[in-house]
Structures are given as C-alpha cells and as structure tokens.
Amino acid sequence: HQSRVREARTCMVEATKRCRQNWRMWESFQGICIKLRDINGVIQSLRRLVELDQMGRVQRQVLGMVTQAVITDMPELYEGRSGRSCMRQLLDFYKFATDHTASRPDFWSFYAHLQEAAGDDVGALESRLRQCRVLQARLWDEKDPEIFAENLQDFVECLNLIDSTMDDPATKEMAKAHATSFSYMLSEAAKKLKEKLAATVQEPPWKPAVGKLEALAQKAEKRS
C-alpha cells in the first residue's frame, strides 16, 4: 500500500510542476504527503496554498499536526527524517503566512509555540500579542453565542500564556517592553466583557471569564 502512495506522490510532484497555479493539485499533494508522514511535502503544499490566496483551505488541524511533529521531534517520518529537521522550513512558512495575512489567529498561535520550541522567546511573545489582537478584534462583532464563547476561550488562554511569560524569571525582563500595551489590552477587554455581560438577559456560560479578565488586568496594571 505504501509503495502505491509513494508512486502517487511521484506523479503529484510532476503534476504540481506542470500546474503550479492549480490549488486542487496542491491539496491532493498534501493529502498524499500526510499519508506518507512527509512533513516537508505538507509544508510545501501549505505554503503554495497561501501563495495562491487559498487561505481557507489551510486547515487548522493540518497546521497543528505538522507543528506538533516538529516540536516533539517525531521520529520515523518520510525518508527516515525526524520532526526537528523541518524546523527551519516550518518557521519560514509561518513567517511567510503571517506576512501574507495577519488575520488568522491559529497561524499566530502555532507560530508562537514553534518559536518557543526554537528558543525564540521574544518572537513567541510578539506572536501571542498579535494573536490576542486578532482574537479581540473578532470578539466584539461576533453575533453567534457559541462562536463568541469559543473565541473568548481562545483569547483567555492566549492572555494566560502572555501573563506567564511576563512572570517567568527567564523571560520577564525581555517582556517588560510590552507590559504597558498588555495592561491596556486587558483593561479594555475586561471593561467590554463586563458591559456585554450586563447587556445579556440570561446568564451566559462564559460569565466566569469576566472575573478572570479583571484579575489579569489588575495584575498587569501593577506590572506597568
């Protein structure tokens, strides 16, 4: 079975060379590379989809799988490679993807995890701050209560990670430069969420997040 998939990969490499503008080819190539645990090939296809402005076809699930494989240095990948050998290629992909579009919070989130694994704490903090801004911008316009609750959960998780970076003895000096802007972001978010809570008729499931944001905002204010 694997040999047939390998043959299909060879055919798809030729097809993508001939039809570089055809996103369907790249999507098919990606599917084959996933089956073969070919992380390089998956990253190549992701980059091409971004280049072809097919951002909606870049799946969060695939990004998560590839990022995890690199961070954990997954062994026995395609052609005997291990995950970490794709670190530079994946960092370059996220740099390219976030330059291309700054509005995908999942790009920023996975980029931050990867930067952290590569020892780039400054880059990871900046990516998380960008992720928070994107999530916050989406938050207040969201009409669907379920999507709002999901986005709010992602937002609070991201804020908690930044808060930990601000407290960690290894990174807090470096993080000081962002203390004031982080404090402002938190106080604004806490205020808006409290106003949204006051405007709801039924008690929403996200009510505890109001207290969490207020506590984080008070802590951040002391830092700045």
PDB file of all heavy atoms in Angstrom, residues 125 128-129 131-133 135-136 139 152-166 181-183 185-187 189-190 193 209 212-214 216-217 219-220 223:
ATOM      1  N   LEU A 125       6.488  35.742  22.178  1.00  0.00           N
ATOM      2  CA  LEU A 125       5.661  36.735  22.883  1.00  0.00           C
ATOM      3  C   LEU A 125       4.989  37.685  21.888  1.00  0.00           C
ATOM      4  O   LEU A 125       3.786  37.963  21.989  1.00  0.00           O
ATOM      5  CB  LEU A 125       6.520  37.532  23.876  1.00  0.00           C
ATOM      6  CG  LEU A 125       5.807  38.672  24.615  1.00  0.00           C
ATOM      7  CD1 LEU A 125       4.630  38.160  25.442  1.00  0.00           C
ATOM      8  CD2 LEU A 125       6.770  39.444  25.499  1.00  0.00           C
ATOM      9  N   ARG A 128       2.129  35.957  20.157  1.00  0.00           N
ATOM     10  CA  ARG A 128       0.946  35.804  21.034  1.00  0.00           C
ATOM     11  C   ARG A 128       0.210  37.130  21.203  1.00  0.00           C
ATOM     12  O   ARG A 128      -1.021  37.158  21.261  1.00  0.00           O
ATOM     13  CB  ARG A 128       1.364  35.240  22.392  1.00  0.00           C
ATOM     14  CG  ARG A 128       1.742  33.789  22.282  1.00  0.00           C
ATOM     15  CD  ARG A 128       1.634  32.986  23.551  1.00  0.00           C
ATOM     16  NE  ARG A 128       1.855  31.587  23.219  1.00  0.00           N
ATOM     17  CZ  ARG A 128       2.956  30.898  23.518  1.00  0.00           C
ATOM     18  NH1 ARG A 128       3.931  31.474  24.192  1.00  0.00           N
ATOM     19  NH2 ARG A 128       3.070  29.637  23.164  1.00  0.00           N
ATOM     20  N   LEU A 129       0.957  38.217  21.259  1.00  0.00           N
ATOM     21  CA  LEU A 129       0.305  39.538  21.347  1.00  0.00           C
ATOM     22  C   LEU A 129      -0.492  39.820  20.073  1.00  0.00           C
ATOM     23  O   LEU A 129      -1.607  40.344  20.124  1.00  0.00           O
ATOM     24  CB  LEU A 129       1.344  40.639  21.594  1.00  0.00           C
ATOM     25  CG  LEU A 129       1.927  40.690  23.019  1.00  0.00           C
ATOM     26  CD1 LEU A 129       3.214  41.498  23.046  1.00  0.00           C
ATOM     27  CD2 LEU A 129       0.923  41.262  24.025  1.00  0.00           C
ATOM     28  N   GLN A 131      -1.731  37.481  18.108  1.00  0.00           N
ATOM     29  CA  GLN A 131      -2.871  36.564  18.159  1.00  0.00           C
ATOM     30  C   GLN A 131      -3.999  37.158  19.021  1.00  0.00           C
ATOM     31  O   GLN A 131      -5.168  37.121  18.641  1.00  0.00           O
ATOM     32  CB  GLN A 131      -2.430  35.216  18.746  1.00  0.00           C
ATOM     33  CG  GLN A 131      -3.552  34.181  18.783  1.00  0.00           C
ATOM     34  CD  GLN A 131      -3.231  33.006  19.686  1.00  0.00           C
ATOM     35  OE1 GLN A 131      -2.115  32.851  20.182  1.00  0.00           O
ATOM     36  NE2 GLN A 131      -4.216  32.166  19.928  1.00  0.00           N
ATOM     37  N   CYS A 132      -3.626  37.705  20.172  1.00  0.00           N
ATOM     38  CA  CYS A 132      -4.620  38.315  21.073  1.00  0.00           C
ATOM     39  C   CYS A 132      -5.345  39.472  20.397  1.00  0.00           C
ATOM     40  O   CYS A 132      -6.561  39.610  20.533  1.00  0.00           O
ATOM     41  CB  CYS A 132      -3.946  38.819  22.345  1.00  0.00           C
ATOM     42  SG  CYS A 132      -3.815  37.549  23.593  1.00  0.00           S
ATOM     43  N   ARG A 133      -4.598  40.285  19.660  1.00  0.00           N
ATOM     44  CA  ARG A 133      -5.231  41.440  18.988  1.00  0.00           C
ATOM     45  C   ARG A 133      -6.235  40.977  17.936  1.00  0.00           C
ATOM     46  O   ARG A 133      -7.310  41.556  17.803  1.00  0.00           O
ATOM     47  CB  ARG A 133      -4.156  42.335  18.354  1.00  0.00           C
ATOM     48  CG  ARG A 133      -3.401  43.134  19.407  1.00  0.00           C
ATOM     49  CD  ARG A 133      -2.439  44.148  18.806  1.00  0.00           C
ATOM     50  NE  ARG A 133      -1.437  44.521  19.791  1.00  0.00           N
ATOM     51  CZ  ARG A 133      -0.154  44.210  19.724  1.00  0.00           C
ATOM     52  NH1 ARG A 133       0.321  43.544  18.679  1.00  0.00           N
ATOM     53  NH2 ARG A 133       0.697  44.580  20.673  1.00  0.00           N
ATOM     54  N   LEU A 135      -7.845  38.055  17.882  1.00  0.00           N
ATOM     55  CA  LEU A 135      -8.992  37.458  18.575  1.00  0.00           C
ATOM     56  C   LEU A 135      -9.892  38.529  19.178  1.00  0.00           C
ATOM     57  O   LEU A 135     -11.113  38.456  19.101  1.00  0.00           O
ATOM     58  CB  LEU A 135      -8.509  36.498  19.680  1.00  0.00           C
ATOM     59  CG  LEU A 135      -7.954  35.154  19.206  1.00  0.00           C
ATOM     60  CD1 LEU A 135      -7.214  34.457  20.336  1.00  0.00           C
ATOM     61  CD2 LEU A 135      -9.056  34.251  18.670  1.00  0.00           C
ATOM     62  N   GLN A 136      -9.260  39.552  19.763  1.00  0.00           N
ATOM     63  CA  GLN A 136     -10.039  40.617  20.390  1.00  0.00           C
ATOM     64  C   GLN A 136     -10.851  41.403  19.353  1.00  0.00           C
ATOM     65  O   GLN A 136     -12.011  41.742  19.583  1.00  0.00           O
ATOM     66  CB  GLN A 136      -9.111  41.567  21.164  1.00  0.00           C
ATOM     67  CG  GLN A 136      -9.868  42.543  22.041  1.00  0.00           C
ATOM     68  CD  GLN A 136      -8.954  43.447  22.840  1.00  0.00           C
ATOM     69  OE1 GLN A 136      -7.764  43.537  22.561  1.00  0.00           O
ATOM     70  NE2 GLN A 136      -9.485  44.110  23.830  1.00  0.00           N
ATOM     71  N   LEU A 139     -13.825  39.369  18.472  1.00  0.00           N
ATOM     72  CA  LEU A 139     -14.689  39.030  19.604  1.00  0.00           C
ATOM     73  C   LEU A 139     -15.967  39.853  19.663  1.00  0.00           C
ATOM     74  O   LEU A 139     -17.072  39.320  19.750  1.00  0.00           O
ATOM     75  CB  LEU A 139     -13.879  39.218  20.898  1.00  0.00           C
ATOM     76  CG  LEU A 139     -14.230  38.371  22.115  1.00  0.00           C
ATOM     77  CD1 LEU A 139     -14.315  36.898  21.787  1.00  0.00           C
ATOM     78  CD2 LEU A 139     -13.194  38.605  23.209  1.00  0.00           C
ATOM     79  N   LEU A 152     -13.699  33.565  22.883  1.00  0.00           N
ATOM     80  CA  LEU A 152     -13.347  34.113  24.203  1.00  0.00           C
ATOM     81  C   LEU A 152     -12.423  33.149  24.946  1.00  0.00           C
ATOM     82  O   LEU A 152     -11.439  33.580  25.558  1.00  0.00           O
ATOM     83  CB  LEU A 152     -14.616  34.377  25.019  1.00  0.00           C
ATOM     84  CG  LEU A 152     -14.406  34.955  26.432  1.00  0.00           C
ATOM     85  CD1 LEU A 152     -13.693  36.304  26.378  1.00  0.00           C
ATOM     86  CD2 LEU A 152     -15.737  35.103  27.166  1.00  0.00           C
ATOM     87  N   GLN A 153     -12.712  31.860  24.839  1.00  0.00           N
ATOM     88  CA  GLN A 153     -11.855  30.856  25.491  1.00  0.00           C
ATOM     89  C   GLN A 153     -10.427  30.909  24.923  1.00  0.00           C
ATOM     90  O   GLN A 153      -9.450  30.897  25.675  1.00  0.00           O
ATOM     91  CB  GLN A 153     -12.455  29.461  25.293  1.00  0.00           C
ATOM     92  CG  GLN A 153     -11.778  28.403  26.136  1.00  0.00           C
ATOM     93  CD  GLN A 153     -12.338  27.005  25.896  1.00  0.00           C
ATOM     94  OE1 GLN A 153     -13.411  26.835  25.313  1.00  0.00           O
ATOM     95  NE2 GLN A 153     -11.620  25.997  26.316  1.00  0.00           N
ATOM     96  N   ASP A 154     -10.322  30.985  23.587  1.00  0.00           N
ATOM     97  CA  ASP A 154      -9.002  31.103  22.937  1.00  0.00           C
ATOM     98  C   ASP A 154      -8.283  32.370  23.403  1.00  0.00           C
ATOM     99  O   ASP A 154      -7.077  32.361  23.647  1.00  0.00           O
ATOM    100  CB  ASP A 154      -9.149  31.140  21.412  1.00  0.00           C
ATOM    101  CG  ASP A 154      -9.509  29.787  20.815  1.00  0.00           C
ATOM    102  OD1 ASP A 154      -9.411  28.774  21.533  1.00  0.00           O
ATOM    103  OD2 ASP A 154      -9.899  29.746  19.630  1.00  0.00           O
ATOM    104  N   PHE A 155      -9.042  33.459  23.497  1.00  0.00           N
ATOM    105  CA  PHE A 155      -8.497  34.761  23.911  1.00  0.00           C
ATOM    106  C   PHE A 155      -7.937  34.680  25.332  1.00  0.00           C
ATOM    107  O   PHE A 155      -6.805  35.095  25.590  1.00  0.00           O
ATOM    108  CB  PHE A 155      -9.604  35.819  23.809  1.00  0.00           C
ATOM    109  CG  PHE A 155      -9.183  37.229  24.133  1.00  0.00           C
ATOM    110  CD1 PHE A 155      -8.095  37.818  23.511  1.00  0.00           C
ATOM    111  CD2 PHE A 155      -9.905  37.984  25.060  1.00  0.00           C
ATOM    112  CE1 PHE A 155      -7.716  39.131  23.799  1.00  0.00           C
ATOM    113  CE2 PHE A 155      -9.527  39.293  25.356  1.00  0.00           C
ATOM    114  CZ  PHE A 155      -8.441  39.865  24.730  1.00  0.00           C
ATOM    115  N   VAL A 156      -8.718  34.105  26.252  1.00  0.00           N
ATOM    116  CA  VAL A 156      -8.287  33.998  27.660  1.00  0.00           C
ATOM    117  C   VAL A 156      -7.063  33.085  27.768  1.00  0.00           C
ATOM    118  O   VAL A 156      -6.114  33.397  28.503  1.00  0.00           O
ATOM    119  CB  VAL A 156      -9.449  33.515  28.570  1.00  0.00           C
ATOM    120  CG1 VAL A 156      -8.954  33.239  29.986  1.00  0.00           C
ATOM    121  CG2 VAL A 156     -10.570  34.546  28.607  1.00  0.00           C
ATOM    122  N   GLU A 157      -7.050  31.980  27.007  1.00  0.00           N
ATOM    123  CA  GLU A 157      -5.892  31.072  27.023  1.00  0.00           C
ATOM    124  C   GLU A 157      -4.627  31.793  26.559  1.00  0.00           C
ATOM    125  O   GLU A 157      -3.550  31.633  27.136  1.00  0.00           O
ATOM    126  CB  GLU A 157      -6.148  29.859  26.120  1.00  0.00           C
ATOM    127  CG  GLU A 157      -6.979  28.778  26.784  1.00  0.00           C
ATOM    128  CD  GLU A 157      -7.363  27.652  25.826  1.00  0.00           C
ATOM    129  OE1 GLU A 157      -6.722  27.534  24.749  1.00  0.00           O
ATOM    130  OE2 GLU A 157      -8.304  26.909  26.152  1.00  0.00           O
ATOM    131  N   CYS A 158      -4.778  32.589  25.504  1.00  0.00           N
ATOM    132  CA  CYS A 158      -3.643  33.339  24.964  1.00  0.00           C
ATOM    133  C   CYS A 158      -3.145  34.374  25.982  1.00  0.00           C
ATOM    134  O   CYS A 158      -1.950  34.520  26.203  1.00  0.00           O
ATOM    135  CB  CYS A 158      -4.067  34.014  23.659  1.00  0.00           C
ATOM    136  SG  CYS A 158      -2.696  34.759  22.766  1.00  0.00           S
ATOM    137  N   LEU A 159      -4.078  35.065  26.626  1.00  0.00           N
ATOM    138  CA  LEU A 159      -3.723  36.055  27.662  1.00  0.00           C
ATOM    139  C   LEU A 159      -2.983  35.385  28.818  1.00  0.00           C
ATOM    140  O   LEU A 159      -2.011  35.934  29.348  1.00  0.00           O
ATOM    141  CB  LEU A 159      -4.981  36.756  28.179  1.00  0.00           C
ATOM    142  CG  LEU A 159      -5.702  37.696  27.215  1.00  0.00           C
ATOM    143  CD1 LEU A 159      -7.056  38.104  27.772  1.00  0.00           C
ATOM    144  CD2 LEU A 159      -4.874  38.945  26.903  1.00  0.00           C
ATOM    145  N   ASN A 160      -3.442  34.188  29.198  1.00  0.00           N
ATOM    146  CA  ASN A 160      -2.779  33.453  30.286  1.00  0.00           C
ATOM    147  C   ASN A 160      -1.339  33.101  29.934  1.00  0.00           C
ATOM    148  O   ASN A 160      -0.451  33.180  30.788  1.00  0.00           O
ATOM    149  CB  ASN A 160      -3.555  32.167  30.619  1.00  0.00           C
ATOM    150  CG  ASN A 160      -4.744  32.428  31.519  1.00  0.00           C
ATOM    151  OD1 ASN A 160      -4.697  33.289  32.397  1.00  0.00           O
ATOM    152  ND2 ASN A 160      -5.823  31.700  31.312  1.00  0.00           N
ATOM    153  N   LEU A 161      -1.119  32.712  28.670  1.00  0.00           N
ATOM    154  CA  LEU A 161       0.247  32.378  28.227  1.00  0.00           C
ATOM    155  C   LEU A 161       1.151  33.608  28.271  1.00  0.00           C
ATOM    156  O   LEU A 161       2.310  33.528  28.690  1.00  0.00           O
ATOM    157  CB  LEU A 161       0.220  31.787  26.807  1.00  0.00           C
ATOM    158  CG  LEU A 161      -0.324  30.362  26.678  1.00  0.00           C
ATOM    159  CD1 LEU A 161      -0.597  30.008  25.225  1.00  0.00           C
ATOM    160  CD2 LEU A 161       0.648  29.344  27.276  1.00  0.00           C
ATOM    161  N   ILE A 162       0.607  34.762  27.851  1.00  0.00           N
ATOM    162  CA  ILE A 162       1.394  36.009  27.900  1.00  0.00           C
ATOM    163  C   ILE A 162       1.672  36.388  29.351  1.00  0.00           C
ATOM    164  O   ILE A 162       2.794  36.773  29.709  1.00  0.00           O
ATOM    165  CB  ILE A 162       0.661  37.156  27.159  1.00  0.00           C
ATOM    166  CG1 ILE A 162       0.543  36.837  25.673  1.00  0.00           C
ATOM    167  CG2 ILE A 162       1.393  38.491  27.354  1.00  0.00           C
ATOM    168  CD1 ILE A 162      -0.386  37.757  24.892  1.00  0.00           C
ATOM    169  N   ASP A 163       0.667  36.239  30.193  1.00  0.00           N
ATOM    170  CA  ASP A 163       0.808  36.534  31.623  1.00  0.00           C
ATOM    171  C   ASP A 163       1.929  35.688  32.244  1.00  0.00           C
ATOM    172  O   ASP A 163       2.747  36.194  33.020  1.00  0.00           O
ATOM    173  CB  ASP A 163      -0.532  36.264  32.324  1.00  0.00           C
ATOM    174  CG  ASP A 163      -0.476  36.580  33.813  1.00  0.00           C
ATOM    175  OD1 ASP A 163      -0.341  37.771  34.146  1.00  0.00           O
ATOM    176  OD2 ASP A 163      -0.560  35.642  34.626  1.00  0.00           O
ATOM    177  N   SER A 164       1.987  34.403  31.863  1.00  0.00           N
ATOM    178  CA  SER A 164       3.049  33.508  32.368  1.00  0.00           C
ATOM    179  C   SER A 164       4.429  33.973  31.909  1.00  0.00           C
ATOM    180  O   SER A 164       5.401  33.924  32.663  1.00  0.00           O
ATOM    181  CB  SER A 164       2.825  32.073  31.879  1.00  0.00           C
ATOM    182  OG  SER A 164       1.587  31.605  32.321  1.00  0.00           O
ATOM    183  N   THR A 165       4.499  34.431  30.644  1.00  0.00           N
ATOM    184  CA  THR A 165       5.776  34.937  30.102  1.00  0.00           C
ATOM    185  C   THR A 165       6.215  36.181  30.876  1.00  0.00           C
ATOM    186  O   THR A 165       7.403  36.366  31.145  1.00  0.00           O
ATOM    187  CB  THR A 165       5.622  35.274  28.596  1.00  0.00           C
ATOM    188  OG1 THR A 165       5.144  34.120  27.917  1.00  0.00           O
ATOM    189  CG2 THR A 165       6.937  35.703  27.976  1.00  0.00           C
ATOM    190  N   MET A 166       5.246  37.025  31.231  1.00  0.00           N
ATOM    191  CA  MET A 166       5.542  38.253  31.988  1.00  0.00           C
ATOM    192  C   MET A 166       6.052  37.934  33.398  1.00  0.00           C
ATOM    193  O   MET A 166       6.784  38.708  33.995  1.00  0.00           O
ATOM    194  CB  MET A 166       4.278  39.118  32.101  1.00  0.00           C
ATOM    195  CG  MET A 166       3.748  39.634  30.784  1.00  0.00           C
ATOM    196  SD  MET A 166       4.499  41.207  30.345  1.00  0.00           S
ATOM    197  CE  MET A 166       3.747  41.552  28.773  1.00  0.00           C
ATOM    198  N   SER A 181       1.390  48.012  26.998  1.00  0.00           N
ATOM    199  CA  SER A 181       0.384  47.710  25.961  1.00  0.00           C
ATOM    200  C   SER A 181      -0.466  46.504  26.361  1.00  0.00           C
ATOM    201  O   SER A 181      -1.666  46.459  26.095  1.00  0.00           O
ATOM    202  CB  SER A 181       1.043  47.484  24.601  1.00  0.00           C
ATOM    203  OG  SER A 181       1.923  46.383  24.656  1.00  0.00           O
ATOM    204  N   PHE A 182       0.148  45.528  27.048  1.00  0.00           N
ATOM    205  CA  PHE A 182      -0.595  44.348  27.515  1.00  0.00           C
ATOM    206  C   PHE A 182      -1.619  44.756  28.586  1.00  0.00           C
ATOM    207  O   PHE A 182      -2.763  44.304  28.566  1.00  0.00           O
ATOM    208  CB  PHE A 182       0.383  43.305  28.068  1.00  0.00           C
ATOM    209  CG  PHE A 182      -0.264  42.017  28.505  1.00  0.00           C
ATOM    210  CD1 PHE A 182      -1.054  41.281  27.631  1.00  0.00           C
ATOM    211  CD2 PHE A 182      -0.065  41.525  29.791  1.00  0.00           C
ATOM    212  CE1 PHE A 182      -1.651  40.078  28.036  1.00  0.00           C
ATOM    213  CE2 PHE A 182      -0.654  40.329  30.196  1.00  0.00           C
ATOM    214  CZ  PHE A 182      -1.448  39.603  29.320  1.00  0.00           C
ATOM    215  N   SER A 183      -1.199  45.630  29.463  1.00  0.00           N
ATOM    216  CA  SER A 183      -2.089  46.115  30.516  1.00  0.00           C
ATOM    217  C   SER A 183      -3.292  46.850  29.921  1.00  0.00           C
ATOM    218  O   SER A 183      -4.441  46.647  30.336  1.00  0.00           O
ATOM    219  CB  SER A 183      -1.320  47.047  31.462  1.00  0.00           C
ATOM    220  OG  SER A 183      -2.189  47.616  32.411  1.00  0.00           O
ATOM    221  N   MET A 185      -4.516  46.478  26.839  1.00  0.00           N
ATOM    222  CA  MET A 185      -5.351  45.495  26.140  1.00  0.00           C
ATOM    223  C   MET A 185      -6.285  44.782  27.127  1.00  0.00           C
ATOM    224  O   MET A 185      -7.477  44.617  26.879  1.00  0.00           O
ATOM    225  CB  MET A 185      -4.460  44.453  25.439  1.00  0.00           C
ATOM    226  CG  MET A 185      -5.236  43.417  24.636  1.00  0.00           C
ATOM    227  SD  MET A 185      -4.239  41.964  24.236  1.00  0.00           S
ATOM    228  CE  MET A 185      -3.133  42.595  23.008  1.00  0.00           C
ATOM    229  N   LEU A 186      -5.724  44.401  28.280  1.00  0.00           N
ATOM    230  CA  LEU A 186      -6.503  43.680  29.284  1.00  0.00           C
ATOM    231  C   LEU A 186      -7.594  44.550  29.908  1.00  0.00           C
ATOM    232  O   LEU A 186      -8.724  44.100  30.080  1.00  0.00           O
ATOM    233  CB  LEU A 186      -5.577  43.163  30.387  1.00  0.00           C
ATOM    234  CG  LEU A 186      -4.973  41.788  30.133  1.00  0.00           C
ATOM    235  CD1 LEU A 186      -3.820  41.518  31.072  1.00  0.00           C
ATOM    236  CD2 LEU A 186      -6.020  40.696  30.282  1.00  0.00           C
ATOM    237  N   SER A 187      -7.259  45.792  30.252  1.00  0.00           N
ATOM    238  CA  SER A 187      -8.267  46.654  30.894  1.00  0.00           C
ATOM    239  C   SER A 187      -9.415  46.949  29.931  1.00  0.00           C
ATOM    240  O   SER A 187     -10.584  46.950  30.322  1.00  0.00           O
ATOM    241  CB  SER A 187      -7.647  47.948  31.431  1.00  0.00           C
ATOM    242  OG  SER A 187      -7.084  48.690  30.380  1.00  0.00           O
ATOM    243  N   ALA A 189     -10.390  44.960  27.401  1.00  0.00           N
ATOM    244  CA  ALA A 189     -11.144  43.717  27.219  1.00  0.00           C
ATOM    245  C   ALA A 189     -12.036  43.432  28.434  1.00  0.00           C
ATOM    246  O   ALA A 189     -13.193  43.028  28.279  1.00  0.00           O
ATOM    247  CB  ALA A 189     -10.189  42.559  26.984  1.00  0.00           C
ATOM    248  N   ALA A 190     -11.500  43.636  29.637  1.00  0.00           N
ATOM    249  CA  ALA A 190     -12.276  43.388  30.863  1.00  0.00           C
ATOM    250  C   ALA A 190     -13.496  44.300  30.912  1.00  0.00           C
ATOM    251  O   ALA A 190     -14.602  43.870  31.257  1.00  0.00           O
ATOM    252  CB  ALA A 190     -11.395  43.598  32.092  1.00  0.00           C
ATOM    253  N   LEU A 193     -16.089  43.200  28.213  1.00  0.00           N
ATOM    254  CA  LEU A 193     -16.758  41.943  28.558  1.00  0.00           C
ATOM    255  C   LEU A 193     -17.781  42.165  29.678  1.00  0.00           C
ATOM    256  O   LEU A 193     -18.862  41.575  29.675  1.00  0.00           O
ATOM    257  CB  LEU A 193     -15.724  40.875  28.976  1.00  0.00           C
ATOM    258  CG  LEU A 193     -16.248  39.438  28.992  1.00  0.00           C
ATOM    259  CD1 LEU A 193     -16.700  38.978  27.609  1.00  0.00           C
ATOM    260  CD2 LEU A 193     -15.194  38.472  29.523  1.00  0.00           C
ATOM    261  N   ALA A 209     -15.375  34.176  32.905  1.00  0.00           N
ATOM    262  CA  ALA A 209     -14.264  34.840  32.187  1.00  0.00           C
ATOM    263  C   ALA A 209     -14.146  36.312  32.580  1.00  0.00           C
ATOM    264  O   ALA A 209     -13.052  36.888  32.516  1.00  0.00           O
ATOM    265  CB  ALA A 209     -14.459  34.712  30.681  1.00  0.00           C
ATOM    266  N   LYS A 212     -11.912  36.436  35.529  1.00  0.00           N
ATOM    267  CA  LYS A 212     -10.535  36.081  35.116  1.00  0.00           C
ATOM    268  C   LYS A 212      -9.847  37.264  34.453  1.00  0.00           C
ATOM    269  O   LYS A 212      -8.682  37.575  34.743  1.00  0.00           O
ATOM    270  CB  LYS A 212     -10.555  34.894  34.138  1.00  0.00           C
ATOM    271  CG  LYS A 212     -10.833  33.556  34.801  1.00  0.00           C
ATOM    272  CD  LYS A 212     -10.867  32.445  33.747  1.00  0.00           C
ATOM    273  CE  LYS A 212     -11.372  31.146  34.358  1.00  0.00           C
ATOM    274  NZ  LYS A 212     -11.696  30.145  33.330  1.00  0.00           N
ATOM    275  N   LEU A 213     -10.583  37.934  33.549  1.00  0.00           N
ATOM    276  CA  LEU A 213     -10.004  39.087  32.852  1.00  0.00           C
ATOM    277  C   LEU A 213      -9.712  40.227  33.814  1.00  0.00           C
ATOM    278  O   LEU A 213      -8.678  40.879  33.715  1.00  0.00           O
ATOM    279  CB  LEU A 213     -10.941  39.573  31.740  1.00  0.00           C
ATOM    280  CG  LEU A 213     -10.944  38.819  30.410  1.00  0.00           C
ATOM    281  CD1 LEU A 213     -11.753  39.573  29.365  1.00  0.00           C
ATOM    282  CD2 LEU A 213      -9.544  38.605  29.868  1.00  0.00           C
ATOM    283  N   GLU A 214     -10.623  40.461  34.739  1.00  0.00           N
ATOM    284  CA  GLU A 214     -10.403  41.553  35.712  1.00  0.00           C
ATOM    285  C   GLU A 214      -9.179  41.282  36.586  1.00  0.00           C
ATOM    286  O   GLU A 214      -8.392  42.188  36.853  1.00  0.00           O
ATOM    287  CB  GLU A 214     -11.663  41.740  36.572  1.00  0.00           C
ATOM    288  CG  GLU A 214     -12.783  42.436  35.807  1.00  0.00           C
ATOM    289  CD  GLU A 214     -14.051  42.648  36.613  1.00  0.00           C
ATOM    290  OE1 GLU A 214     -14.336  41.849  37.532  1.00  0.00           O
ATOM    291  OE2 GLU A 214     -14.779  43.621  36.304  1.00  0.00           O
ATOM    292  N   LEU A 216      -6.573  39.385  35.763  1.00  0.00           N
ATOM    293  CA  LEU A 216      -5.375  39.549  34.905  1.00  0.00           C
ATOM    294  C   LEU A 216      -5.070  41.025  34.672  1.00  0.00           C
ATOM    295  O   LEU A 216      -3.899  41.433  34.670  1.00  0.00           O
ATOM    296  CB  LEU A 216      -5.591  38.847  33.548  1.00  0.00           C
ATOM    297  CG  LEU A 216      -5.452  37.326  33.496  1.00  0.00           C
ATOM    298  CD1 LEU A 216      -5.952  36.799  32.161  1.00  0.00           C
ATOM    299  CD2 LEU A 216      -3.995  36.889  33.703  1.00  0.00           C
ATOM    300  N   ALA A 217      -6.126  41.821  34.507  1.00  0.00           N
ATOM    301  CA  ALA A 217      -5.951  43.266  34.256  1.00  0.00           C
ATOM    302  C   ALA A 217      -5.343  43.968  35.468  1.00  0.00           C
ATOM    303  O   ALA A 217      -4.446  44.815  35.320  1.00  0.00           O
ATOM    304  CB  ALA A 217      -7.305  43.917  33.896  1.00  0.00           C
ATOM    305  N   LYS A 219      -3.462  42.596  37.771  1.00  0.00           N
ATOM    306  CA  LYS A 219      -2.071  42.113  37.855  1.00  0.00           C
ATOM    307  C   LYS A 219      -1.185  42.858  36.849  1.00  0.00           C
ATOM    308  O   LYS A 219      -0.071  43.277  37.172  1.00  0.00           O
ATOM    309  CB  LYS A 219      -2.084  40.613  37.555  1.00  0.00           C
ATOM    310  CG  LYS A 219      -0.832  39.867  37.969  1.00  0.00           C
ATOM    311  CD  LYS A 219      -1.063  38.384  37.744  1.00  0.00           C
ATOM    312  CE  LYS A 219       0.235  37.626  37.723  1.00  0.00           C
ATOM    313  NZ  LYS A 219       0.078  36.235  37.327  1.00  0.00           N
ATOM    314  N   ALA A 220      -1.702  43.022  35.639  1.00  0.00           N
ATOM    315  CA  ALA A 220      -0.934  43.692  34.575  1.00  0.00           C
ATOM    316  C   ALA A 220      -0.706  45.160  34.890  1.00  0.00           C
ATOM    317  O   ALA A 220       0.339  45.725  34.554  1.00  0.00           O
ATOM    318  CB  ALA A 220      -1.660  43.538  33.244  1.00  0.00           C
ATOM    319  N   ARG A 223       2.228  45.675  37.040  1.00  0.00           N
ATOM    320  CA  ARG A 223       3.496  45.495  36.312  1.00  0.00           C
ATOM    321  C   ARG A 223       3.882  46.749  35.539  1.00  0.00           C
ATOM    322  O   ARG A 223       5.039  47.059  35.393  1.00  0.00           O
ATOM    323  CB  ARG A 223       3.357  44.360  35.308  1.00  0.00           C
ATOM    324  CG  ARG A 223       3.569  42.987  35.853  1.00  0.00           C
ATOM    325  CD  ARG A 223       3.847  42.029  34.718  1.00  0.00           C
ATOM    326  NE  ARG A 223       3.328  40.715  35.048  1.00  0.00           N
ATOM    327  CZ  ARG A 223       2.208  40.224  34.574  1.00  0.00           C
ATOM    328  NH1 ARG A 223       1.454  40.912  33.741  1.00  0.00           N
ATOM    329  NH2 ARG A 223       1.811  39.012  34.931  1.00  0.00           N
TER     330      ARG A 223
END
